[in-house]
Amino acid sequence: MSVKHFLHLGALTKDELDALIILSQRIKHVRHQKSVFSEALVGKTLAMIFERPSTRTRISFEVGMQELGGRVLSLTTQELQLGRGEPLEDTAQVLSRYVDIILLRTSEHTRVEALAASSQVPVINGLSDIHHPTQVVADLLTILEHKGRLRDLKIAYVGDAHNNVTHDWLFAAALLGLDFHIAAPEMYGPSPAILQKARTFAASSGARLALTDDPRAALSNADVVITDVWTSMGREEERDIRLKHLKPYQVNEEAMQYAQEDAIFMHCLPAHRGEEVTKAVMDGPQSVVFDEAENRLHAHKAILLWLLSGQNIEAFVQDASVKDKALI
Ligand code: CP
Ligand code: NVA
């Protein structure tokens, strides 16, 4: 059987993504019942390699793996021979002999693909320049919790859309049949290849994927407002020009007026108050950003359990007696 990796959400089926959200929710509900899942991954080891900084991804995977009874090695490229030029492919072969699962946070997406291609154990993409799949599973759980459903909601993403978070949002929305609107300047629109692939999923799921350069069109009557930084990691030299072009896409109190009164505001964090979002919105009553950050922990535990179970996720969810599928 081929190894199941977790590199971007476009590689999942609709049923797998649905089941992953349900499992994340179930795990969250039983977090403090120590006997449930607490020994699920005893004897398993997760190795994480960070080529870029991380607070949430690193700590939530580390705590999550430990709460499931497993062990974690959290490494940076610099402390490995990888930092002195040892090929990723050789690193993957070696780590596969020692550990049960590997996470990589890196720059070019091709690096995580190269690691996965040579790994005999599952590889998780902990963020690359074009994908951030673990984030979006937590985002979906957050919306489900706050709105009670994912479908029949208008979800608006405003800002830099040539972005790892937006790309996996496109895949998730397309797979699950959601109503997803992007507002971005043309020069910061999503990758055409990813958009095209998402549109093919949307054709079977009935998802609505809308792209505009008018933030008001996307925000109008939105139930969920999402943004991300204007200058992602690795693009720091473009910061000044990005600030100029993206200014009309700031999520401020005026922008939130276009959305539904009970709209929630989401951001994967870290946020830059005064750039993509104002302090009033980020720290205001509609913001659910810290629930979203917490949900990384629960979503990551679900991802680890699934990949390490060696099972089909739907079978795994049944085994875990998850009964509240109707919530989605
Ligand atoms: N949202 C997110 O991935 O945060 P970190 O960069 O802190 O991991
Ligand atoms: N788009 C952001 C996400 C950070 C978690 C970045 O890549 O820097």
Side-chain angles (χ1 to χ4, degrees):
M1 208 176 78
S2 65
V3 181
K4 184 90 187 160
H5 300 298
F6 198 82
L7 305 190
H8 62 75
L9 294 184
L12 272 64
T13 65
K14 173 193 170 294
D15 288 347
E16 285 175 334
L17 185 53
D18 262 346
L20 203 47
I21 301 161
I22 292 163
L23 185 59
S24 307
Q25 192 181 39
R26 168 76 176 150
I27 286 168
K28 182 170 185 172
H29 287 163
V30 299
R31 183 175 178 204
H32 298 295
Q33 295 171 31
K34 289 275 177 259
S35 56
V36 187
F37 297 124
S38 61
E39 294 186 358
L41 299 183
V42 168
K44 303 285 186 190
T45 303
L46 162 69
M48 302 195 289
I49 305 171
F50 287 90
E51 303 193 323
R52 289 260 161 94
S54 170
T55 297
R56 281 143 289 265
T57 307
R58 176 175 171 160
I59 298 171
S60 57
F61 264 105
E62 189 158 337
V63 171
M65 187 67 181
Q66 285 168 356
E67 287 187 3
L68 295 169
R71 284 182 297 256
V72 188
L73 299 167
S74 189
L75 307 156
T76 63
T77 312
Q78 263 45 45
E79 49 195 322
L80 300 172
Q81 296 288 10
L82 194 56
R84 294 178 58 244
E86 184 169 18
L88 265 169
E89 291 79 359
D90 293 358
T91 306
Q93 298 255 24
V94 172
L95 288 183
S96 296
R97 305 288 178 108
Y98 302 142
V99 306
D100 302 282
I101 188 161
I102 304 169
L103 178 144
L104 176 64
R105 168 168 287 202
T106 190
S107 46
E108 293 84 29
H109 189 70
T110 47
R111 289 183 65 73
V112 74
E113 286 177 336
L115 186 81
S118 297
S119 175
Q120 275 93 58
V121 300
V123 170
I124 298 171
N125 176 10
L127 180 147
S128 65
D129 56 352
I130 55 169
H131 288 292
H132 197 5
T134 64
Q135 176 69 51
V136 175
V137 180
D139 289 1
L140 293 163
L141 173 61
T142 308
I143 297 173
L144 181 60
E145 282 180 344
H146 281 272
K147 293 287 173 193
R149 64 192 193 282
L150 293 173
R151 300 189 179 95
D152 303 318
L153 292 172
K154 180 174 179 182
I155 302 172
Y157 179 96
V158 181
D160 174 21
H162 195 84
N163 167 305
N164 38 26
V165 172
T166 329
H167 290 152
D168 281 285
W169 250 108
L170 270 170
F171 282 151
L175 284 169
L176 297 178
L178 309 185
D179 185 15
F180 185 59
H181 297 243
I182 294 175
E186 211 180 317
M187 66 194 292
Y188 299 123
S191 144
I194 291 170
L195 186 60
Q196 194 188 2
K197 188 169 171 186
R199 287 204 196 286
T200 63
F201 296 148
S204 27
S205 71
R208 177 160 180 225
L209 305 179
L211 184 57
T212 175
D213 61 2
D214 177 3
R216 277 176 296 189
L219 288 164
S220 177
N221 294 316
D223 300 286
V224 179
V225 177
I226 308 175
T227 193
D228 188 9
V229 291
W230 287 345
T231 308
S232 282
M233 290 181 275
R235 303 208 177 262
E236 288 78 7
E237 76 287 356
E238 300 169 17
R239 183 166 182 270
D240 291 348
I241 185 89
R242 285 171 165 271
L243 290 189
K244 193 168 140 234
H245 289 294
L246 285 155
K247 201 161 179 246
Y249 297 82
Q250 183 186 64
V251 180
N252 50 37
E253 282 173 302
E254 192 199 328
M256 288 300 286
Q257 293 289 319
Y258 292 98
Q260 298 279 4
E261 231 174 284
D262 63 350
I264 55 172
F265 169 74
M266 295 177 54
H267 190 309
C268 65
L269 307 181
H272 295 76
R273 290 172 178 81
E275 292 186 17
E276 73 276 4
V277 61
T278 55
K279 185 175 179 341
V281 172
M282 173 74 188
D283 302 317
Q286 289 168 281
S287 175
V288 298
V289 299
F290 297 113
D291 290 343
E292 183 182 359
E294 178 193 327
N295 283 339
R296 301 293 302 282
L297 172 67
H298 313 300
H300 296 171
K301 287 164 84 173
I303 293 166
L304 289 166
L305 278 170
W306 173 32
L307 295 178
L308 286 167
S309 73
Q311 282 189 60
N312 166 308
I313 177 88
E314 291 137 274
F316 189 79
V317 165
Q318 289 308 322
D319 285 358
S321 312
V322 178
K323 300 286 182 219
D324 47 358
K325 195 163 185 160
L327 277 174
I328 291 195

